Amino acid sequence: MGSMSKSVTCGPIGIFDSGYGGLTILKHIRETLPDYDFLYFGDNARTPYGTRSFQVVYEYTLQCVTRLFEMGCPLVILACNTASAKALRTIQQIDLPKIDASRRVLGIIRPTVESIGELSSSRHVGLLATPGTVKSLSYPLEINKLYPDIRVTGESCPIWVPLVENGESQSPGADFFVRRHIDNLLQKDPLIDTIILGCTHYPLLLDKIRQYVPEGIKIVCQGEYVARSLGDYLQRHPEIDSRCTRNYACSFLTTESVETFLPAASVFLDSSRELDVKSVTL
Ligand code: DGL
């Protein structure tokens, strides 16, 4: 660090996740902002982050953000709740001013939380997320800053990310774990009328989640809210927007091998199109 060029850099928007989950966010962002260029970075060799300590998640995330800056990204989205919960604040406040104060790093918790006020009538909201995100209390803290009357109850689902990462999201075995955590959550607070899927992997389990969530309870998937909020952000910040290149391009970096990344990424992107993927070491 420190050697990075501080001249005005133009390039793709960086989208970071610990693994494949951020691809669910990328998909929505590309639908909303199709002409912008994107560089997705999955730290697939070190995923999952959800069960790791604050310090480790922070260090890993900073390494990946730094790499995306080196690749020319003026703006990086942490498309990972765990990284947004555990690393965003420190990177924004401590690291960014030292690396290059003209670039930006944004998370995905705030844009998700903003939607909750108008969705919940009972003012009882549930959160399904990784142990790291639940323990960080980032969701209740952010929600209560905007809506102090909302009560947030969290349930950690440590098995859900491995189920998705291992291609088991449609298997009968997944039903057991999906149901268990939904039941646990609703037992803790039966008045919940809105459930946030606070992990980017969970939309891949949506069919099963819908099956076990009683009718009338809303399920919040983050992608559309994050995409809309990024569009607003770029409109409000022309100094960043003008540095984001627009050639309809999208490429991918992974800390795993290309052979491992490709088939899994196609599942998340729901696409069989050829992807431009490179393997990187940190
Ligand atoms: N995709 C990450 C999130 O949104 C979690 C995956 C992981 O545990 O690394 O929290």
Side-chain angles (χ1 to χ4, degrees):
M1 229 179 297
S3 60
M4 199 170 301
S5 158
K6 296 200 179 175
S7 61
V8 172
T9 316
C10 295
I13 297 174
I15 307 282
F16 166 72
D17 184 38
S18 61
Y20 300 109
L23 295 171
T24 61
I25 303 285
L26 174 69
K27 202 170 158 213
H28 280 276
I29 291 179
R30 287 193 78 198
E31 278 162 18
T32 307
L33 303 166
D35 54 329
Y36 284 79
D37 298 340
F38 297 98
L39 177 56
Y40 183 88
F41 190 166
D43 192 5
N44 303 84
R46 300 189 295 193
T47 198
Y49 281 14
T51 42
R52 296 189 191 276
S53 68
F54 259 85
Q55 188 58 26
V56 169
V57 171
Y58 161 65
E59 279 167 14
Y60 284 4
T61 304
L62 180 59
Q63 282 178 349
C64 297
V65 167
T66 304
R67 175 57 64 95
L68 283 167
F69 282 165
E70 285 164 2
M71 302 296 289
C73 298
L75 168 66
V76 173
I77 310 295
L78 302 186
C80 173
N81 291 275
T82 310
S84 299
K86 291 183 158 184
L88 178 66
R89 196 58 47 94
T90 314
I91 291 178
Q92 283 176 331
Q93 292 176 357
I94 310 288
D95 299 296
L96 209 47
K98 287 189 253 168
I99 302 173
D100 181 349
S102 79
R103 305 204 208 194
R104 293 290 176 272
V105 181
L106 304 174
I108 57 170
I109 293 180
R110 181 74 185 214
T112 308
V113 156
E114 283 168 356
S115 68
I116 295 306
E118 61 195 47
L119 292 175
S120 172
S121 313
S122 71
R123 315 312 271 170
H124 288 247
V125 168
L127 170 71
L128 297 168
T130 65
T133 300
V134 173
K135 256 190 244 137
S136 74
L137 297 178
S138 294
Y139 269 93
L141 289 170
E142 289 296 329
I143 289 175
N144 289 145
K145 270 188 218 160
L146 298 175
Y147 313 108
D149 60 324
I150 289 183
R151 174 176 159 182
V152 184
T153 302
E155 166 74 7
S156 314
C157 315
I159 308 290
W160 287 17
V161 169
L163 280 175
V164 172
E165 290 275 331
N166 289 293
E168 295 290 337
S169 58
Q170 304 302 322
S171 75
D175 285 78
F176 173 81
F177 290 105
V178 168
R179 184 175 191 167
R180 178 155 92 176
H181 290 299
I182 291 169
D183 288 351
N184 284 352
L185 179 68
L186 296 175
Q187 253 164 34
K188 286 184 207 166
D189 182 356
L191 296 179
I192 286 171
D193 71 349
T194 306
I195 295 179
I196 301 172
L197 302 188
C199 172
T200 53
H201 284 66
Y202 296 177
L204 273 284
L205 290 165
L206 190 57
D207 288 348
K208 291 203 189 294
I209 294 170
R210 281 219 177 95
Q211 221 174 303
Y212 297 111
V213 168
E215 237 172 87
I217 296 183
K218 296 182 191 109
I219 300 168
V220 178
C221 292
Q222 309 179 275
E224 62 184 286
Y225 299 102
V226 172
R228 202 185 310 151
S229 162
L230 177 58
D232 288 349
Y233 177 86
L234 292 171
Q235 264 183 1
R236 284 184 284 110
H237 294 274
E239 76 288 2
I240 300 293
D241 187 48
S242 59
R243 295 169 60 186
C244 299
T245 50
R246 300 186 185 205
N247 302 298
Y248 296 85
C250 187
S251 50
F252 300 82
L253 299 176
T254 174
T255 49
E256 249 298 343
S257 69
V258 172
E259 295 71 35
T260 306
F261 184 85
L262 268 176
S266 308
V267 171
F268 274 81
L269 288 172
D270 203 8
S271 146
S272 51
R273 266 185 302 164
E274 193 122 316
L275 304 178
D276 169 12
V277 188
K278 284 191 186 64
S279 179
V280 290
T281 39
L282 292 169

